[in-house]
Amino acid sequence: MASNGSKTQASPPPQGIYVPSPTFFVAEGTSSYNTTSPPLDLETQSKHSLFLVEGGVRGLVLLGSTGEAIFIKPEERVQLLKSQRKALDDAGFKDRPIIAGTATQNIDETLQLIKESKDAGAEYAMVLSPGYFAPATSQSGIAKWFTQVADRSPLPVMIYHYPGVTNNLFIAPSTFEQLAAHPNIVGTKLSHGIIDDQALIAASPKIDHEHFYVFTGLGQNLLPVLAIGGVAAIDGLAGVFPRVVVRLFDMFNQSLAKGMSKKDMDEMRLLQFRICEGEKLVARWGVVGMKEACDRIWGLGSRTGGRLPLAGGFEEGDGEWSKWSKVFEGLKDLENQFKSEDTKGK
């Protein structure tokens, strides 16, 4: 990998579906719970991580937006990363990389978090763009900021472009073309639905796509993004139904290799439709919805485990879950069907 100005070209993460994992906290009513900062629930975190990789997920993104990174203390970041690296390694999944998120505005602080993440077992850093002064930030300023980080980062860097949490900071495709040439910048997660901009990055002839991978942050865009040159998704719904999202990724690549038929495309479109139905919950409720679904569907974690202002899950009696339960029960059946098929195929 490149660091401290080295010109060695880093490698992107392996292609496949990644999950921006929620950070699990102990639930209300437990002895260690407190309303200000409920402790990490590392036991549930590890159960969830293994549930994902056993379902075919290629790796984990920890401490991203879904991981509530802005609520996590520095020492907790280290605990979380170390515990999940150990959980994966002990279970025989040493080949599943961990991508650690950073969400700071300051270059030196970002680099410190990356160093600590590397020491704790992360293989890549997913760096959120600095959006506090978004209206006054130029494309040149964005490019210089990421270049400074990448020049000194001890881990390969992925650019995290999520206008929804960065004051609508916009990174132009031309800026991505410039940054993609950096030897220590290896990809991006695009968490927006502007499909033409995604095409201008994922299909750009000015980018070396063997070195710079484009991941959509929206599973509802997986099939179209694969078609325009993206490699996969870092997707929230896969945190509840990993096999469902992985199946679409596998179907596309397998059909592409053998020669895609109309039947293949029809099946992929139908699966993409099912994914889009479930993604509506993730788009509306984010990590709150993911934790709600993990608890209600699989009994993983607690929907009341969170840090303010996100603590508490859906309000009891407001009927919110009933709006989603039919879709999610259908996806659960599909997940179990794919699990059964996978087991028979081994």
Side-chain angles (χ1 to χ4, degrees), residues 15 17 31 51 62 66 88 104 122 135 161-162 198 223 226 230 286 289 291-293 305 315:
Q15 295 186 15
I17 300 299
S31 59
F51 167 74
L62 300 177
T66 305
L88 295 178
T104 67
H161 185 25
Y162 187 5
Q198 295 187 29
L223 184 56
L226 288 172
K291 287 184 176 180
E292 192 86 20
E315 296 288 341

Side-chain angles (χ1 to χ4, degrees), residues 22-321:
T23 298
F24 291 94
F25 305 101
V26 300
E28 292 180 19
T30 57
S31 59
S32 59
Y33 181 83
N34 70 75
T35 56
T36 304
S37 293
L40 301 176
D41 182 355
L42 296 179
E43 180 180 356
T44 295
Q45 196 79 46
S46 296
K47 287 180 180 178
H48 185 248
S49 293
L50 295 179
F51 167 74
L52 298 179
V53 295
E54 288 167 357
V57 165
R58 192 63 189 84
L60 306 178
V61 175
L62 300 177
L63 299 163
S65 301
T66 305
E68 300 176 62
I70 59 171
F71 299 153
I72 310 299
K73 292 175 282 190
E75 61 270 23
E76 291 175 325
R77 285 180 57 91
V78 173
Q79 293 171 11
L80 183 69
L81 290 166
K82 282 186 174 180
S83 69
Q84 298 317 291
R85 184 68 272 164
K86 184 176 188 303
L88 295 178
D89 291 352
D90 289 352
F93 294 104
K94 293 183 178 182
D95 64 334
R96 307 300 171 95
I98 290 176
I99 303 171
T102 72
T104 67
Q105 309 288 305
N106 181 286
I107 290 173
D108 288 331
E109 187 178 359
T110 298
L111 289 165
Q112 180 63 28
L113 291 179
I114 295 174
K115 179 184 181 302
E116 292 171 358
S117 298
K118 180 179 185 294
D119 293 342
E123 287 86 358
Y124 297 88
M126 191 177 75
V127 179
L128 185 68
S129 52
Y132 188 88
F133 292 108
T137 301
S138 67
Q139 294 301 303
S140 174
I142 294 169
K144 289 176 181 177
W145 193 92
F146 273 106
T147 297
Q148 286 287 316
V149 171
D151 280 348
R152 298 159 56 192
S153 173
L155 289 177
V157 169
M158 296 181 65
I159 298 168
Y160 185 17
H161 185 25
Y162 187 5
V165 298
T166 56
N167 203 14
N168 288 318
L169 182 72
F170 174 73
I171 305 179
S174 58
T175 303
F176 274 104
E177 289 177 346
Q178 178 183 345
L179 290 170
H182 193 289
N184 205 30
I185 296 178
V186 296
T188 183
K189 177 187 177 185
L190 301 176
S191 290
H192 62 71
I194 309 171
I195 199 68
D196 54 334
D197 275 5
Q198 295 187 29
L200 288 171
I201 301 166
S204 172
K206 297 180 180 179
I207 292 176
D208 177 2
H209 297 288
E210 296 298 316
H211 164 64
F212 184 88
Y213 285 175
V214 173
F215 292 83
T216 177
L218 307 174
Q220 55 267 50
N221 284 356
L222 178 55
L223 184 56
V225 167
L226 288 172
I228 61 174
V231 301
I234 299 172
D235 175 55
L237 188 70
V240 186
F241 304 111
R243 286 180 173 83
V244 172
V245 182
V246 168
R247 178 63 65 101
L248 179 56
F249 170 81
D250 288 343
M251 286 173 64
F252 180 87
N253 285 287
Q254 291 165 6
S255 64
L256 195 65
K258 69 180 179 61
M260 194 174 295
S261 67
K262 183 180 183 303
K263 180 175 180 293
D264 294 333
M265 182 56 74
D266 288 344
E267 290 177 355
M268 287 187 287
R269 285 172 177 163
L270 179 57
L271 187 52
Q272 180 69 85
F273 175 84
R274 298 289 300 276
I275 290 170
C276 286
E277 287 186 307
E279 294 284 2
K280 289 293 186 181
L281 173 70
V282 180
R284 170 64 183 87
W285 287 103
V287 62
V288 173
M290 283 184 65
K291 287 184 176 180
E292 192 86 20
C294 282
D295 184 3
R296 289 182 182 271
I297 298 297
W298 305 116
L300 275 169
S302 170
R303 55 187 180 273
T304 65
R307 287 184 174 170
L308 295 172
L310 300 183
F314 291 171
E315 296 288 341
E316 291 296 333
D318 68 358
E320 183 64 24
W321 178 253

Side-chain angles (χ1 to χ4, degrees), residues 309-329:
L310 300 183
F314 291 171
E315 296 288 341
E316 291 296 333
D318 68 358
E320 183 64 24
W321 178 253
S322 65
K323 301 174 185 177
W324 311 98
S325 58
K326 183 177 180 180
V327 166
F328 273 69
E329 288 298 331

